[in-house]
């Protein structure tokens, strides 16, 4: 029946669906490509009491090592977008780097900071993703969501409470369908130069050669970044199983050798414990630790 609604795969290895490349799996993986398919899929799952989990690009999550006995809904194929003047409307699975590049190529600016973030627009709005002192909510005009009663509704920016890497959407049952952003006139050459400079800086300072999910912890302050705290504690390079606190950037945990989720979480626990004991700071994890239950 599920295959009558949208493309559905059975017994799926999810290693390539999370940027940590942690080996995990799901009983079913649904790949809707339209708003109608998403609505019909969720309706069917709710009516039949089937567990489901929404997955963007898997770029800011730590998935469990165990199999998910339900349906993973991937937004990978729900990724169309339209640029009309300075207004961009994108389906929630559209990737930030693709949108950033499209905006720059059309002489606009406002998403240069997102060119290196491997996340979807929907997940990025949900968590108010950001970089280089910018965040996605700066540009949001409105979003279209599916509520728990399967009603499609529009939320304006003022309807969403947000802060640093947080929005009220995280505590809701809304499924983000589309996002509308307002950009502004830019300069193609300047934007391209800015993106190139930031890419070079990332390559020099971040362990992009290994699978990871980006920065692990939020910075307690601009003056005291998490990476420096962790490095000063001598934790850089520490290994548990196949996971390592990067010896290039201490606020990254990388998958060096078939790491398990439990390896990554054990390193996170050690870092939090050491920082609390030595600095009396409770580091906040920026990555979302998923529990299938």
């Amino acid at each position: 029946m599920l295959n009558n609604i949208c493309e559905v795969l059975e017994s799926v290895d999810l290693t390539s669906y999370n940027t940590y490349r942690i080996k995990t799996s799901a009983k079913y993986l649904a790949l809707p490509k339209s708003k109608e398919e998403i609505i019909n899929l969720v309706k069917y799952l709710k009516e039949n009491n089937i567990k489901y989990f929404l997955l963007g690009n898997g770029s800011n999550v730590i998935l469990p090592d165990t199999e998910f006995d339900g349906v993973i809904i991937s937004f990978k194929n729900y990724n169309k977008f339209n640029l009309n003047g300075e207004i961009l409307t994108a389906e929630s699975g559209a990737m930030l780097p693709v949108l950033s590049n499209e905006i720059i190529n059309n002489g606009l600016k406002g998403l240069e900071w997102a060119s290196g973030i491997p996340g979807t627009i929907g997940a990025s709005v949900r968590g108010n993703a950001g970089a280089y002192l910018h965040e996605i909510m700066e540009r949001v005009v409105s979003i279209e969501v599916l509520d728990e009663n399967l009603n499609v509704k529009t939320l304006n920016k003022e309807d969403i409470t947000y802060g640093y890497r947080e929005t009220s959407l995280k505590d809701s049952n809304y499924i983000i369908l589309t996002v509308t952003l307002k950009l502004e006139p830019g300069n193609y050459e300047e934007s391209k130069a800015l993106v190139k400079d930031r890419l070079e800086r990332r390559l020099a300072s971040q362990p992009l050669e290994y699978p990871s999910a980006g920065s692990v912890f939020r910075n307690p302050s601009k003056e005291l970044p998490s990476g420096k705290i962790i490095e000063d504690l001598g934790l850089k390079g520490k290994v548990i199983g196949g996971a390592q606190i990067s010896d290039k950037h201490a606020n990254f945990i990388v998958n060096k050798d078939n790491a398990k989720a439990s390896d990554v979480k054990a390193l996170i626990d050690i870092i939090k414990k050491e920082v609390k004991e030595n600095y009396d700071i409770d580091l906040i994890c920026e990555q979302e630790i998923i529990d299938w239950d």
Side-chain angles (χ1 to χ4, degrees), residues 61-73:
V61 294
I62 304 169
L63 299 182
D65 295 311
T66 54
E67 181 184 60
F68 181 59
D69 185 26
V71 179
I72 299 286
I73 303 176

Side-chain angles (χ1 to χ4, degrees), residues 28-62:
Y28 298 102
L29 175 72
L31 296 156
K33 60 182 185 299
S34 70
K35 188 187 305 182
E36 291 70 31
E37 287 187 354
I38 293 171
I39 294 169
N40 290 334
L41 175 63
V42 175
K43 181 174 186 289
Y44 177 85
L45 297 175
K46 281 178 173 288
E47 287 176 350
N48 290 277
N49 294 314
I50 299 172
K51 289 191 299 184
Y52 64 91
F53 179 82
L54 308 177
L55 188 65
N57 194 49
S59 58
N60 200 40
V61 294
I62 304 169

